[in-house]
Amino acid sequence: MGLPIAVEEVTKEFRTDDGTVTAIEEFDFDIEAGEVVTLVGPTGCGKSTILSIILGVLSPTSGEVVVDGRRPYDDFYSFRGEIAAVFQEDRLLPWRTAAENAGFGLEALGVPEDERRRRVEEWFDTLGLSGYENAYPQELSGGMRQRVGLTRAYVTDPEILLLDEAFGHLDEVTATKLREDFLSLIDGGEGRTTTMFITHDIDEALMIGDRVLVSRSPGKIIDRIDVPEGLHEDPERHHEYRTRILDSLR
Ligand SMILES: Nc1ncnc2c1ncn2[C@@H]1O[C@H](COP(=O)(O)OP(=O)(O)O)[C@@H](O)[C@H]1O
Ligand SMILES: [Mg+2]
């Protein structure tokens, strides 16, 4: 079903040679269990920073993130296997095959090899990668590599899925296909995984999110939008929502 995420007045500052940079200022939002929330905004509006804080690899300067009563940074290891992330760069290991890369998270969790192989093969089948188990990343297209990265995340059956511009490097045709597959996957399951999807692409944000948070640079949330069901199948209304977001960012 997924775990809820509470982001409470989170500010993150970085010290640099020239002083202090405020990457995000008082981000405050909740993501309910099973909800899919997108965060959209231009480069430098704090998207990757908040993702790293929820993932527990960065700590907030002030405020806190609470997941299931725990704090991702302080209780990092308690979240093993519960939070999975997909990034813009596929981050695959070039000396591992597609299946070995996809099974990496399971391996870290101590899942035996034959079960790893079985679960990876199931996901490869779903994501159109069957037959490529033994291919190396450099033999695959960008879209296929990103599917391997998605498999690596999905196959651990996480409570929380974080995606940072996961389709951002791909050509539009491949990205559209992956978005559609992604939507049918998250809609298909029993209970949905709690998902935070980060993007600079307004259309993508509206297509994927149940709710859209809009951030501007320097990182400040300036709008919160409930996305009506089926919006992206209604071009006129989609355009209205798109214009609202664009205007708020101007
Ligand atoms: N490790 C860091 N050190 C210094 N500044 C950083 C660091 N990480 C991010 N920033 C700054 O914080 C702001 C937000 O960055 P980021 O979260 O990467 O934005 P986005 O992902 O939306 O492009 C930017 O101004 C960026 O330069
Ligand atoms: Mg980023």
Side-chain angles (χ1 to χ4, degrees), residues 14-16 21-23 41-50 164-165 217:
F14 291 105
R15 290 200 190 290
T16 67
V21 178
T22 303
T43 303
C45 73
K47 301 187 294 299
S48 296
T49 301
I50 191 63
D164 190 356
E165 316 246 11
S217 184

Side-chain angles (χ1 to χ4, degrees), residues 30 55 66 81 92 150 161 173 202 218:
D30 291 310
L55 189 58
V66 183
L92 303 180
L150 287 168
L161 192 57
V173 175
I202 294 174

Side-chain angles (χ1 to χ4, degrees), residues 6-7 55 61 74 77 82 88 101 110 125 141 190 195 202 243:
V7 173
L55 189 58
T61 304
D74 297 332
Y77 290 101
E82 292 183 349
Q88 184 170 30
N101 267 292
D125 191 34
S141 68
E190 306 272 291
T195 303
I202 294 174
T243 307

Side-chain angles (χ1 to χ4, degrees), residues 183 187 206-207 228-238:
L183 279 180
D187 286 337
L206 286 169
M207 181 175 176
E229 189 117 4
L231 180 72
H232 63 275
E233 283 144 20
D234 181 345
E236 230 163 89
R237 279 195 88 199
H238 179 98

Side-chain angles (χ1 to χ4, degrees), residues 50-208:
I50 191 63
L51 183 127
S52 297
I53 291 173
I54 296 171
L55 189 58
V57 297
L58 277 182
S59 64
T61 304
S62 62
E64 58 185 8
V65 172
V66 183
V67 176
D68 184 37
R70 293 171 282 156
R71 284 155 187 76
Y73 186 82
D74 297 332
D75 305 312
F76 186 76
Y77 290 101
S78 78
F79 286 101
R80 272 166 60 103
E82 292 183 349
I83 306 184
V86 183
F87 300 93
Q88 184 170 30
E89 334 78 67
D90 53 61
R91 301 193 185 189
L92 303 180
L93 301 171
W95 58 87
R96 284 180 161 238
T97 64
E100 287 166 352
N101 267 292
F104 194 74
L106 291 177
E107 198 178 324
L109 292 170
V111 175
E113 193 186 344
D114 43 347
E115 192 185 335
R116 277 193 329 252
R117 191 174 321 127
R118 189 183 59 71
R119 283 164 68 174
V120 166
E121 276 174 11
E122 255 175 46
W123 275 102
F124 270 26
D125 191 34
T126 308
L127 286 171
L129 286 171
S130 285
Y132 290 94
E133 286 80 2
N134 297 319
Y136 286 89
Q138 46 295 10
E139 300 173 312
L140 301 175
S141 68
M144 290 168 86
R145 285 202 297 272
Q146 206 57 340
R147 286 168 196 270
V148 176
L150 287 168
T151 305
R152 184 178 51 195
Y154 290 142
V155 76
T156 61
D157 195 16
E159 301 291 334
I160 293 174
L161 192 57
L162 305 173
L163 301 101
D164 190 356
E165 316 246 11
F167 309 141
H169 260 165
L170 304 171
D171 64 84
E172 197 46 39
V173 175
T174 307
T176 302
K177 180 79 178 79
L178 272 180
R179 272 177 216 131
E180 282 163 1
D181 289 354
F182 179 76
L183 279 180
S184 58
L185 278 176
I186 54 182
D187 286 337
E190 306 272 291
R192 298 198 306 180
T193 300
T194 308
T195 303
M196 174 137 202
F197 189 100
I198 283 170
T199 178
H200 62 262
D201 182 321
I202 294 174
D203 293 325
E204 178 171 74
L206 286 169
M207 181 175 176
I208 285 178

